[in-house]
């Protein structure tokens, strides 16, 4: 009977942790996410730093794992999730997105999605003060990029070209942070 109790305890403990795939920077990330009615798997996650500050844990969820930007962009739905490790303002996050779009994409691509980028930035600014521990989910499904904040929908921006340009901030050829790209691509 005692051996049964040990086995049952081990099984219960294993099941309790089965949904948590990774602990990155003290943030426990689920191994799966549901986007557009489809189950996605955690592709990878890492910490975004700025100077000496840890800003957020960035994670990427896809239908099947991918190790390069082409593989990521070929799959949808997809999610990029930001778990904040410090307080930020909507303006700080908006400025970072603007800079990231310009650094990670050609000038032609940036110009082509300027209206959508402005719409996305307005959504970010509408969130106001972002507190440590907050979660921003950026989902691409059915041709639109939807944004949620702590599980609540905040807005949507149409267009695959916009989502491709946005995704390249993290996993493109000129990402915002190379080691974060590597981590999000499962490396």
């Amino acid at each position: 009977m005692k051996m049964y109790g040990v086995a049952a305890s081990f099984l219960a403990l294993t099941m309790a942790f089965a949904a948590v795939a990774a602990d990155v920077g003290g943030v426990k990330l689920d191994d799966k996410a549901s986007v557009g009615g489809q189950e996605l798997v955690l592709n990878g996650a890492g910490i975004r730093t700025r100077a000496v500050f840890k800003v957020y844990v960035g994670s990427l969820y896809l239908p099947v794992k991918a190790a390069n930007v082409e593989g990521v962009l070929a799959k949808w739905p997809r999610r990029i999730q930001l778990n904040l490790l410090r307080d930020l303002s909507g303006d700080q996050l908006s400025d970072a997105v603007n800079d990231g779009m310009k650094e990670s994409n050609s000038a032609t691509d940036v110009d082509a999605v300027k209206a959508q980028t402005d719409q996305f930035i307005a959504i970010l600014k509408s969130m106001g003060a972002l507190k440590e521990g907050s979660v921003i989910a950026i989902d691409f499904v059915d041709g639109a990029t939807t944004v949620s904040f702590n599980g609540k929908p905040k807005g949507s921006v149409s267009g695959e070209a916009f989502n491709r340009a946005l995704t390249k901030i993290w996993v493109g050829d000129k990402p915002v942070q190379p080691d974060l790209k590597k981590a999000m691509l499962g490396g």
Side-chain angles (χ1 to χ4, degrees):
M1 188 71 169
K2 193 170 197 170
M3 193 60 140
Y4 172 76
V6 170
S9 295
F10 177 75
L11 181 61
L13 185 62
T14 302
M15 291 177 68
F17 289 106
V20 176
D23 183 321
V24 179
V27 174
K28 291 179 182 10
L29 299 170
D30 292 334
D31 63 346
K32 296 180 179 162
S34 179
V35 175
Q38 186 171 344
E39 190 171 89
L40 306 183
V41 296
L42 178 63
N43 196 73
I47 298 174
R48 169 68 170 125
T49 57
R50 185 91 173 167
V52 297
F53 301 105
K54 293 179 180 178
V55 182
Y56 58 77
V57 171
S59 53
L60 175 64
Y61 290 84
L62 300 169
V64 294
K65 292 195 175 208
N68 57 46
V69 67
E70 295 81 16
V72 170
L73 295 175
K75 296 177 178 27
W76 56 274
R78 62 179 166 261
R79 168 177 285 174
I80 292 174
Q81 183 171 293
L82 310 177
N83 293 70
L84 300 185
L85 298 174
R86 62 181 305 109
D87 293 351
L88 295 174
S89 69
D91 286 337
Q92 286 173 308
L93 190 56
S94 298
D95 289 346
V97 167
N98 244 338
D99 293 345
M101 289 291 273
K102 291 174 186 169
E103 293 169 14
S104 302
N105 294 280
S106 71
T108 303
D109 289 345
V110 170
D111 288 344
V113 297
K114 183 175 181 348
Q116 292 95 334
T117 302
D118 291 345
Q119 185 181 356
F120 183 77
I121 286 173
I123 293 168
L124 296 179
K125 287 184 176 185
S126 75
M127 292 190 261
L130 309 170
K131 298 292 181 192
E132 179 181 340
S134 296
V135 179
I136 299 168
I138 304 167
D139 296 337
F140 180 64
V141 64
D142 297 330
T145 302
T146 60
V147 181
S148 64
F149 180 62
N150 293 330
K152 296 183 176 111
K154 291 297 179 183
S156 182
V157 179
S158 295
E160 184 175 347
F162 168 72
N163 186 272
R164 291 175 67 82
L166 184 67
T167 300
K168 286 180 180 180
I169 291 174
W170 293 278
V171 297
D173 293 334
K174 296 182 272 181
V176 67
Q177 185 175 314
D179 64 334
L180 176 59
K181 170 187 174 174
K182 183 178 178 183
M184 291 175 80
L185 293 177

